[in-house]
Amino acid sequence: DAEDGAIDADTASGRTSGSKLKGNVKGREVKEEEEVKEEDDEEEKKELYDDPPDSVVHAESLDWIKQVVIGLNLCPFAASPLANNKLSIEITRGHDAESISAAVLLELILRVDNPGTTVVVAPECSPDDFETYLQVLDFIELIMEEHELVGKVQVAPFHPLFEFGGRSDNDGSNDDEAEGIDNYTNRSPFPMFHVLREEEVGAAVDKLDGDASVVFDRNIRLMKMLYERLGREGVEKVMSCDASDDMKEAVDEVLKSVKKTNDIKL
């Protein structure tokens, strides 16, 4: 009986070892399947969010900054960082609000102690829905408070369908066609979050005698003059870096006129 028991125990041990081996093999198979699935998911995500590719997003964003933001002097704070190689363009892909917010938060934290400015471009962040984009912006501002970043850095919004909240350029002249033309100053080729250091913004505003509204007022005047010369369609082309040579000549003339009426330089 004892020997029979020993045989039974060995048999049971063999079965247990065999089960463990099968379990290990099964475990490896499952792990390999998961790794393959992750690779497939990454490849699918790359294909899904690779139109346009990052290189095109970066190039078009930089062109817009150079031609529109700096070329039209919409932001007198922008030329210096670009000239001094302190303007960074970072691209984050996908629709997930938390992932986008995390990417912006990282740049905010990095900019606290590093001079310069960063433009985070999020091509899939609701390019056709400005209200949903604003919800992401609200979430970013909330986590800025949680990380005690308020007062150190800030985020300026740019979007293909940007609208100033409740504001338009309608001055009561009954020119309904020109209403909202000011929105084009913040309409970018892709949804963007512009990370700025409060210290640098404050220094720039000091050069404007502490009144940042002069920038907004100047840009409104510019947009109205461009509208009068080119119409809304022409303004859209200029602001999207798609102006013809004739349009560019008209823009140069308008800029000269604006400059004569106290243009802004820092």
Side-chain angles (χ1 to χ4, degrees):
D1 292 342
E3 291 180 356
D4 290 343
I7 293 172
D8 289 342
D10 290 340
T11 302
S13 176
R15 288 174 179 170
T16 301
S17 298
S19 298
K20 288 181 179 179
L21 179 60
K22 290 180 180 178
N24 290 335
V25 172
K26 182 68 174 177
R28 284 198 298 271
E29 290 176 349
V30 171
K31 185 176 181 180
E32 289 173 358
E33 288 176 1
E34 290 176 348
E35 290 175 351
V36 170
K37 185 177 185 302
E38 288 177 1
E39 291 176 0
D40 290 342
D41 288 345
E42 285 299 318
E43 190 64 29
E44 182 179 351
K45 183 178 180 181
K46 182 178 179 181
E47 292 177 359
L48 182 62
Y49 300 133
D50 200 35
D51 185 21
D54 287 359
S55 58
V56 173
V57 173
H58 188 282
E60 291 187 4
S61 298
L62 183 58
D63 283 346
W64 176 75
I65 292 171
K66 289 180 176 179
Q67 294 185 42
V68 176
V69 178
I70 296 176
L72 299 180
N73 199 26
L74 297 179
C75 177
F77 321 136
S80 179
L82 181 63
N84 293 297
N85 199 30
K86 291 184 178 180
L87 187 151
S88 174
I89 297 176
E90 302 295 332
I91 301 169
T92 181
R93 307 305 294 249
H95 302 85
D96 183 64
E98 290 189 6
S99 296
I100 294 169
S101 300
V104 177
L105 176 62
L106 174 60
E107 298 304 325
L108 286 163
I109 293 172
L110 291 174
R111 278 297 171 201
V112 170
D113 296 315
N114 292 288
T117 186
T118 302
V119 177
V120 180
V121 186
E124 290 80 39
C125 185
S126 304
D128 301 318
D129 188 345
F130 183 55
E131 291 299 323
T132 302
Y133 164 88
L134 286 180
Q135 292 175 12
V136 179
L137 180 64
D138 288 341
F139 181 68
I140 291 171
E141 291 177 343
L142 179 63
I143 59 178
M144 284 178 64
E145 293 181 6
E146 294 176 352
H147 287 268
E148 299 181 346
L149 294 172
V150 178
K152 300 176 183 177
V153 284
Q154 61 173 260
V155 179
F158 293 89
H159 189 276
L161 300 177
F162 184 94
E163 290 186 11
F164 287 102
R167 302 185 68 170
S168 73
D169 65 348
N170 190 357
D171 57 5
S173 62
N174 295 321
D175 186 2
D176 293 336
E177 290 295 321
E179 184 175 358
I181 204 73
D182 57 324
N183 293 323
Y184 286 94
T185 61
N186 284 56
R187 288 191 176 176
S188 51
F190 308 100
M192 299 178 177
F193 302 89
H194 186 190
V195 175
L196 298 152
R197 300 178 74 241
E198 289 283 8
E199 180 181 346
E200 294 176 13
V201 172
V205 172
D206 286 343
K207 294 181 180 180
L208 300 173
D209 295 327
D211 185 7
S213 67
V214 298
V215 176
F216 182 80
D217 293 341
R218 177 265 183 196
N219 290 344
I220 291 294
R221 188 167 68 255
L222 173 65
M223 289 295 103
K224 285 185 176 182
M225 294 176 70
L226 287 175
Y227 172 78
E228 290 170 359
R229 286 292 301 271
L230 303 172
R232 184 175 294 273
E233 183 178 348
V235 171
E236 289 178 354
K237 286 184 175 295
V238 169
M239 304 305 283
S240 60
C241 304
D242 190 30
S244 65
D245 290 339
D246 289 342
M247 289 179 179
K248 290 178 181 178
E249 289 182 8
V251 170
D252 288 340
E253 293 175 3
V254 169
L255 286 173
K256 289 178 182 178
S257 297
V258 172
K259 188 175 182 179
K260 290 179 181 178
T261 57
N262 192 29
D263 199 7
I264 300 168
K265 283 190 176 181
L266 294 179

